[in-house]
Amino acid sequence: MFGIHDIALFIVSGLLLNITPGQDVAYIVSRGAGLGWRGGAIAALGVGTGCFVHVFAASLGLSALLATSATAFTVVKLAGAGYLIWIGLTMWRGSNGNVKETCLAQRPSLHRIFTQGFLTNALNPKVALFFLAFLPQFVSADSTTKPLAFLLLGVLFTINGTMVNLGWAWFAARAARLLKGSGRFSVWIKRVAGTLFIGLGIRLALAKAA
């Protein structure tokens, strides 16, 4: 249908790729561990929504612009890197002070968690290039409906990925409940996650287009 082939292989490959930890998983796990299942799930939904930006871009051919234009890639890359570093610094700032003050600090709203998850994915040019490289492998070269095929495959990939990410959120929340003996756990989760996001931001800033 629409020139799509090897759909089973596509699903299995997509699930394996989504299980592999990356900056999206890092964000979801940090929210799930620090805020519980609900926070992690909202983060996962935000990431999934951000992924749709790349899906539509791939189906419309916009992802090719990032692959061929060094300027466009650099602009999006630096925006994404800056945002990751900002999230990391925010997590560190939120962990300052004594344990009691940190535990009583205002929790981020669900809207903020969702938005951060969305931007974490949407501002990552590597995701756009991934779709551009991955999706065509499962669409026949002579298909006359390539944009629609890319769209359907992208939506399927995103739905499967969101299910995996919800699993990460549940795992992180469950592990946090088992390990959390005091407020210090939340403090160190924020610090570790903040350091990780700063590192991911720096790595993205130094990344080159494939």
Side-chain angles (χ1 to χ4, degrees):
M1 183 175 64
F2 305 114
I4 297 174
H5 58 82
D6 296 323
I7 190 66
L9 178 61
F10 173 82
I11 293 174
V12 172
S13 300
L15 289 174
L16 291 175
L17 289 168
N18 280 301
I19 290 173
T20 305
Q23 67 187 49
D24 291 339
V25 172
Y27 179 71
I28 293 164
V29 168
S30 67
R31 288 310 191 188
L35 302 173
W37 154 249
R38 191 178 183 188
I42 293 298
L45 294 176
V47 167
T49 305
C51 196
F52 278 117
V53 172
H54 301 291
V55 170
F56 289 120
S59 64
L60 295 175
L62 297 179
S63 293
L65 177 63
L66 291 178
T68 58
S69 172
T71 300
F73 180 85
T74 299
V75 169
V76 176
K77 178 189 69 173
L78 292 179
Y83 188 72
L84 290 175
I85 293 173
W86 180 80
I87 290 179
L89 293 175
T90 299
M91 289 181 172
W92 259 97
R93 187 168 61 248
S95 71
N96 290 335
N98 59 48
V99 173
K100 184 177 180 180
E101 290 174 345
T102 302
C103 292
L104 294 177
Q106 184 178 2
R107 294 159 65 95
S109 67
L110 295 180
H111 179 267
R112 181 181 178 185
I113 294 171
F114 180 90
T115 301
Q116 287 183 340
F118 172 83
L119 293 176
T120 295
N121 187 280
L123 291 178
N124 186 354
K126 288 293 186 178
V127 179
L129 297 183
F130 163 77
F131 275 113
L132 192 63
F134 184 64
L135 298 185
Q137 299 182 48
F138 300 92
V139 179
S140 300
D142 59 352
S143 173
T144 58
T145 56
K146 287 187 178 68
L148 183 56
F150 289 165
L151 179 61
L152 292 176
L153 288 175
V155 169
L156 179 59
F157 180 90
T158 302
I159 292 174
N160 289 338
T162 300
M163 297 302 293
V164 172
N165 288 336
L166 288 172
W168 277 112
W170 177 87
F171 172 80
R174 178 66 176 171
R177 285 198 300 270
L178 294 175
L179 296 175
K180 182 161 52 179
S182 68
R184 292 186 181 277
F185 180 82
S186 295
V187 171
W188 283 105
I189 279 291
K190 289 182 179 180
R191 290 177 179 176
V192 170
T195 301
L196 177 61
F197 269 90
I198 292 172
L200 289 171
I202 293 174
R203 187 179 71 171
L204 180 58
L206 298 176
K208 297 181 180 180

